[in-house]
Amino acid sequence: MKADQARNKQPKKTSVVFVCTANVCRSPVAEYLFKAELKKARKLSKFRVFSAGINAYDGYPISKLSAEVLKDAE
């Protein structure tokens, strides 16, 4: 009973999902940039942020070009 009570007292996180077609370029970039801004504002712990694709395949990584863009953004 106490575990349930403790779980219910934890603040709920706001979920944010970025969606594109394949989840290999636009949505992962948006996820990364949004998380970076939340970290700067020290609010990352209040959110669950992830990306998805409407025609995505499990396990496909972010595209090489998108990864390069993000590396340059750091």
Side-chain angles (χ1 to χ4, degrees), residues 30-48:
E31 174 190 2
Y32 178 89
L33 294 174
F34 188 67
K35 282 181 175 177
E37 290 301 313
L38 288 172
K39 284 180 188 177
K40 285 182 196 173
R42 297 181 181 195
K43 296 190 178 200
L44 184 58
S45 64
K46 296 180 180 187
F47 291 85
R48 284 182 356 115

Side-chain angles (χ1 to χ4, degrees), residues 2-70:
K2 289 184 181 184
D4 289 337
Q5 290 172 342
R7 200 173 312 130
N8 291 334
K9 289 184 181 182
Q10 293 177 355
K12 292 188 178 185
K13 293 184 177 188
T14 299
S15 294
V16 178
V17 61
F18 294 95
V19 181
C20 68
T21 303
N23 196 31
V24 295
C25 55
R26 291 175 301 260
S27 55
V29 168
E31 174 190 2
Y32 178 89
L33 294 174
F34 188 67
K35 282 181 175 177
E37 290 301 313
L38 288 172
K39 284 180 188 177
K40 285 182 196 173
R42 297 181 181 195
K43 296 190 178 200
L44 184 58
S45 64
K46 296 180 180 187
F47 291 85
R48 284 182 356 115
V49 183
F50 52 99
S51 61
I54 59 171
N55 195 27
Y57 295 103
D58 260 352
Y60 274 64
I62 189 171
S63 73
K64 289 181 184 179
L65 184 56
S66 294
E68 286 178 31
V69 168
L70 290 176

